[in-house]
Amino acid sequence: MSSVPSAPELPSVLWWVVAIAASGGFTALYRSVATNRAQRIMAIAGPLVGVVAAILFGAAYKLHLGQLLPMYGCTVAAMWLAGVGHSKELREMWRISAEEGNENVRISPLLTLQFTASLLILCGLGIWFAASA
């Protein structure tokens, strides 16, 4: 059985660009589908909570910024790309959740597939790059 090759070393400035672009895309997408003030606040706070979680995770496991940036950037990008192209469905889900208080709204198989694939692929890439940093 062969081992996984190490990821190419990318400059940290590129990871900063990925993290900022992913955070902006995430905020723009989920703020646009939000149907009330609380949801808009959650959409804006999502990347900020991710930064705090990354800092705490890094402190707990003694990880340096070169390892945290790929994991953060890829995770937020995965969450953003999971919803791309599904604005109408997401807006309807959030509306039902807000108006009816029903948190168990069914999602389409296509959205489920896109969500799962983006999380698996991009989070895997983030971990791969972080492990090589």
Side-chain angles (χ1 to χ4, degrees), residues 33-97:
V33 301
T35 60
N36 62 34
R37 185 173 188 257
Q39 291 173 345
R40 283 190 292 280
I41 290 170
M42 286 184 349
I44 293 167
L48 299 174
V49 170
V51 167
V52 171
I55 290 169
L56 293 174
F57 184 79
Y61 291 97
K62 297 177 179 38
L63 301 174
H64 57 85
L65 191 61
Q67 292 172 302
L68 293 175
L69 275 173
M71 289 191 299
Y72 172 81
C74 288
T75 302
V76 175
M79 294 301 296
W80 167 37
L81 294 175
V84 169
H86 299 279
S87 294
K88 288 180 184 176
E89 181 179 356
L90 289 169
R91 186 175 297 112
E92 181 63 14
M93 288 170 46
W94 282 31
R95 185 196 62 74
I96 291 170
S97 175

